[in-house]
Structures are given as structure tokens and as C-alpha cells.
Amino acid sequence: QVELVESGGGSVQAGGSLRLSCAASGMTHGSYCMGWFPQGPGKGREGVATIDGDGRPSYADSVRGRFTISKDKAKNILYLQMDSLKPEDSDTYYCAATPVEWCAAGFEYGWWGQGTQVTVSS
């Protein structure tokens, strides 16, 4: 059973930084895409940052150059470094994972964390 546990959200002023973490367990077989999504499953929102099974990152235009996604393979932790935060970045951010075959086919991610709140004040 895949389990994803996020941490690191909080409240900051515009221009500040936060680092989100997602501790993953249960992904023992195959390769997975992972990503960070505002709101949650079933909302139809694209990820702000995703990383494929080969470790290649992708970013939404709205965050490119400000956010950095990375993964510590040894510890199975996914990170999202959020810099130059703007009030419009405020949202609940969910960590999600799915087998590479699913993300290659464009299916919604299969496993989701509980979400962590990010609030950016002006």
C-alpha cells in the first residue's frame, strides 16, 4: 500500500520561501511519477511540478523559475522548494504518485497524500 505524507506548509509573506516534503512508502516495484498538485484528486488541476520515472522535472508556467521539485531516492522523499512566493500561490498542496505507465497515458495520479496548506500574504 502506497502512503504519502506531506509536511512543510505554512504562512509566509509574499517574496518568501517554503519547502514542502513528501515522505513516500510502499512504492517498492517499478517506477513512479510523482508531483505536487494544488487542491486534490478529482479536481482536474494540473500539477505545479512533476517528476517522471527518470527524474525529469516539469513545471507549470505559473511557477517555472520559482519552484524546484526534487527527489531523494535513498530516503524516498519528494521535495518542492517554493521561492518568490506570491499570494496567488496560496492553496492546499497535495503530493501524488502513480506508476509511470499511468502518467504516460495521462491518467489521474493514483495515490494522494492528505495535503498541506500554503498561505502567502501580501
Side-chain angles (χ1 to χ4, degrees):
Q1 181 70 21
V2 173
E3 184 176 17
L4 304 170
V5 180
E6 301 101 330
S7 61
S11 297
V12 296
Q13 291 191 327
S17 297
L18 285 173
R19 188 174 81 156
L20 307 184
S21 299
C22 172
S25 61
M27 298 191 296
T28 56
H29 301 290
S31 297
Y32 295 80
C33 297
M34 297 188 72
W36 293 95
F37 293 76
Q39 298 185 6
K43 301 291 186 179
R45 293 279 299 273
E46 293 186 0
V48 294
T50 59
I51 193 164
D52 69 13
D54 294 321
R56 290 185 293 252
S58 295
Y59 299 96
D61 290 342
S62 60
V63 307
R64 189 174 290 111
R66 300 188 298 119
F67 291 8
T68 303
I69 189 171
S70 61
K71 184 178 179 182
D72 185 327
K73 291 184 179 180
K75 296 181 180 179
N76 265 344
I77 299 176
L78 183 73
Y79 298 101
L80 184 67
Q81 178 66 41
M82 311 170 79
D83 297 320
S84 302
L85 281 160
K86 304 175 181 180
E88 52 263 42
D89 294 321
S90 298
D91 217 320
T92 300
Y93 285 79
Y94 292 81
C95 172
T98 203
V100 292
E101 297 82 4
W102 287 26
C103 59
F107 297 157
E108 185 176 82
Y109 278 47
W111 296 284
W112 297 79
Q114 81 286 357
T116 186
Q117 181 67 38
V118 170
T119 303
V120 185
S121 59
S122 58

